Amino acid sequence: MGWQTNRILETIGTATGGTQSINFNLEAIEALMVTLQADVADGIRPPNSTTGGTGPTDFSSTSYGTIATASTGRLGCTIFNSGPGNLHVMLGTATASTSVFTARLSAGDYYEVPFNYTGLIGGIFATAGTAEVTQLS
């Protein structure tokens, strides 16, 4: 979808004013929207769009554990701490602890793993707790 957006912006950028320029730009935008709608109808998805996912799955380990394995097909991952304990999340292969972590989620906190991160996600609860994990692909 990026090239269509760039094309729209380039077309709009050439507007010099007046009704004729505005009508030309609206027609170009409308034509691109028709193309995008046809692509969607044909099942062509824009780059980095999601069509499904897995989860939610539970994570509740008070010792270091894997929240989500590395996956090149993953476009996103969400983690919701639904339990009472603090969850310490680690992106990468380092072992998470209560003092070494990427993000700490208190009870009720929600975390979205950075877009297009496909590596290992590990974690540990400081005390008993449960997190709901959803992976998008």
Side-chain angles (χ1 to χ4, degrees), residues 13-37:
T14 61
T16 57
T19 305
Q20 190 172 18
S21 294
I22 291 171
N23 288 338
F24 171 77
N25 289 325
L26 291 175
E27 289 171 7
I29 291 169
E30 184 179 25
L32 288 172
M33 293 305 294
V34 169
T35 300
L36 287 173
Q37 289 171 340

Side-chain angles (χ1 to χ4, degrees), residues 66-74 77 117-122 133 135:
T66 298
I67 293 175
T69 59
S71 171
T72 57
R74 181 175 62 226
C77 183
Y117 175 75
T118 59
L120 178 70
I121 305 169
V133 179
Q135 294 191 71

Side-chain angles (χ1 to χ4, degrees), residues 8-64:
I8 290 169
L9 293 175
E10 288 170 6
T11 303
I12 292 172
T14 61
T16 57
T19 305
Q20 190 172 18
S21 294
I22 291 171
N23 288 338
F24 171 77
N25 289 325
L26 291 175
E27 289 171 7
I29 291 169
E30 184 179 25
L32 288 172
M33 293 305 294
V34 169
T35 300
L36 287 173
Q37 289 171 340
D39 286 348
V40 170
D42 289 340
I44 299 171
R45 68 181 201 174
N48 299 324
S49 66
T50 181
T51 58
T54 60
T57 58
D58 289 342
F59 177 80
S60 59
S61 181
T62 54
S63 60
Y64 175 78

